Amino acid sequence: MSNDAAGPRTRLIVLLAALVALGPLSIDAYLPGLPDLADDLRAGASATQLTLTACLAGLAIGQLIAGPLSDTYGRRRPLLAGLALYTIAGALCAVAPDIRTLVGLRLVQGIGGAFGIVIANAMVRDRTSGTRTARLFSTLTLITGLAPVFAPVLGGQLLRVTSWRGIFVSLAALGAVMLAACAAGLPQTRPSASRRPLPAVFRQLLSDRVFTGYVLANGLVFAAMFAYISGSPFVLQEIHGLSPQQYSAVFALNAAGLIAAAQISGRLVDRAGARVLLLAGLLGATAGGTTVLGAALTRAPLPVLLIGLFVLVSSVGLVMPNAAAQALTDHGAHAGSAAALLGFSQFMFGGALAPLAGAGGATDALPMGIIVAVLPALALLTLGVLTRPMPGWRTRSPARQRPAGHRRPVGGLPLGGVREHERHRHRAVAADRRVDTPQ
């Protein structure tokens, strides 16, 4: 790839990564300030965690809106509208007078942030296919992994000079910067000729058993990570006595593990295949969650708990890029809607289950341990049941076997029949051979 092509491609990847990072930043940056927020607004631990739940719900619902809109009107206009909404809601969060108002504003902020997440993922599928998609998702996971590394650290440092309200001012300022950057430098990746009216494709997508299996597995593991995010401030700071700065350091170490796993995934996906790496991630998440549960049951020393959390979070770096690549493989024609369902499952599961991690309040880590142990195991079971090979697959001759990481859709052929299958196959081969440069 020439230097002239590499420069724009790098800028595009950085912009896409920043868009996906809005979600983690919106959640992680104010985590060290949760106890102070609860005191300031006179709210209990469960009510305070509703601000996290509301943001997750907004990130889920917003993706169902943004995906079809971006398939119909292109990626740019819905994206800019979502970023404007995110910026305004973030500024209002900084002046919220009570916990109820803050919860409502966090819902709106999440909806705005969801546009960036789903449209960035759809743009990845617009530009790539096959293992190139998995590699780019791994790159985005690597880059956006810096958000949970630095967000709590930055939040902890900001608390030295300002309150939790100042953190929301910073998020609003970031939203404004992203809005300006995308308006000036983000290309349109869905040409007018390929746009369609708002498609009623959700039923069609969910009828694809394999697609649903990858979506559910990804969502369940994502929910386990958010149970850790929701419960860990109280478990680590209140039960184990860590300071906000120490908690931020632990959080950063776990996120660094996620980054390393994503980098490994990007380097191995051509050799091992996306599905193998996904299974490895699910097994690792199950092992880490089980260790956390064991530590909570036996009241083991803090290092045992920290090891389990590190393995759990690091494994997400293998799960997310490969589950996304597998889920979107056969749905490039409506990548926005497919990415919307993928993201919806992540944040809806996370929003629904994260409050349960705080059921023990500031005195018991067992609820968090149960959730982070059960969900990855359930994800592994779901993947095995819904994406298992159809009868007759093992009888294919070796010459007709597909490359590692490629899955065969339900019914034996992609949606659209034999002719669409042949067109899809030739497009995938051509995409893997060509040099991936911006249009």
Side-chain angles (χ1 to χ4, degrees):
M1 181 183 299
S2 67
N3 291 334
D4 291 341
R9 182 176 183 272
T10 300
R11 287 193 295 271
L12 176 62
I13 292 174
V14 170
L15 267 179
L16 295 180
L19 289 171
V20 179
L22 280 180
L25 283 171
S26 302
I27 296 164
D28 300 336
Y30 85 128
L31 288 180
L34 278 181
D36 291 340
L37 186 154
D39 292 340
D40 189 17
L41 299 183
R42 298 180 180 180
S46 296
T48 302
Q49 288 176 331
L50 282 177
T51 63
L52 174 61
T53 301
C55 185
L56 292 173
L59 288 167
I61 296 170
Q63 294 193 55
L64 293 182
I65 300 171
L69 285 177
S70 72
D71 281 343
T72 301
Y73 300 108
R75 309 305 185 199
R76 279 179 55 86
R77 283 188 290 172
L79 174 61
L80 297 179
L83 289 174
L85 181 64
Y86 176 89
T87 301
I88 295 171
L92 293 176
C93 284
V95 296
D98 54 57
I99 194 67
R100 290 183 179 180
T101 303
L102 182 60
V103 168
L105 290 171
R106 288 284 282 167
L107 176 66
V108 177
Q109 186 185 36
I111 292 174
F115 277 67
I117 296 172
V118 69
I119 292 175
N121 286 331
M123 284 181 165
V124 171
R125 185 59 185 86
D126 289 341
R127 289 298 183 90
T128 62
S129 64
T131 57
R132 288 185 179 276
T133 303
R135 285 200 301 271
L136 186 49
F137 274 127
S138 295
T139 301
L140 292 183
T141 303
L142 168 65
I143 296 174
T144 57
L146 295 175
V149 169
F150 289 109
V153 175
L154 177 61
Q157 296 304 316
L158 284 174
L159 289 176
R160 293 179 179 271
V161 297
T162 186
S163 67
W164 59 270
R165 296 181 186 274
I167 296 176
F168 283 108
V169 172
S170 301
L171 290 175
L174 176 63
V177 170
M178 288 301 304
L179 176 60
C182 290
L186 194 67
Q188 177 63 264
T189 62
R190 189 170 177 84
S192 300
S194 64
R195 297 179 195 169
R196 300 176 180 178
L198 282 174
V201 298
F202 287 152
R203 181 181 299 177
Q204 183 181 14
L205 288 167
L206 292 176
S207 68
D208 183 340
R209 179 172 62 88
V210 179
F211 171 82
T212 303
Y214 288 120
V215 166
L216 290 178
N218 185 63
L220 289 169
V221 171
F222 201 78
M225 185 176 71
F226 271 105
Y228 147 72
I229 291 173
S230 175
S232 62
F234 296 96
V235 170
L236 295 180
Q237 293 186 70
E238 301 295 335
I239 297 177
H240 291 279
L242 298 185
S243 68
Q245 289 71 38
Q246 289 173 327
Y247 167 77
S248 298
V250 170
F251 200 94
L253 179 63
N254 290 338
L258 186 150
I259 292 173
Q263 187 175 28
I264 292 171
S265 174
R267 292 182 177 181
L268 294 182
V269 67
D270 281 326
R271 185 183 311 169
R275 182 176 172 84
V276 171
L277 294 173
L278 172 59
L279 289 173
L282 291 175
L283 289 171
T286 302
T290 302
T291 302
V292 172
L293 176 59
L297 286 171
T298 62
R299 299 187 181 274
L302 178 60
V304 177
L305 174 64
L306 294 181
I307 290 172
L309 292 175
F310 179 81
V311 174
L312 170 69
V313 177
S314 298
S315 299
V316 177
L318 292 176
V319 173
M320 289 180 59
N322 294 295
Q326 292 287 88
L328 298 181
T329 292
D330 295 321
H331 301 290
H334 32 70
S337 298
L341 286 175
L342 187 71
F344 175 82
S345 70
Q346 292 177 343
F347 292 105
M348 183 54 71
F349 288 170
L353 297 173
L356 300 180
T363 61
D364 191 357
L366 185 58
M368 184 185 77
I370 292 174
I371 293 173
V372 301
V374 170
L375 292 184
L378 184 59
L380 189 61
L381 177 64
T382 299
L383 187 74
V385 171
L386 294 182
T387 69
R388 69 182 185 275
M390 298 292 289
W393 282 14
R394 295 178 182 177
T395 63
R396 293 203 313 265
S397 62
R400 300 185 62 184
Q401 296 290 335
R402 286 169 172 76
H406 183 88
R407 65 175 176 84
R408 189 181 182 93
V410 175
L413 291 174
L415 301 177
V418 175
R419 292 182 179 178
E420 177 61 22
H421 167 59
E422 291 302 318
R423 288 195 295 270
H424 174 84
R425 182 174 63 85
H426 289 303
R427 285 197 301 266
V429 171
D432 284 338
R433 289 177 178 174
R434 73 172 179 263
V435 175
D436 181 27
T437 58
Q439 297 175 358

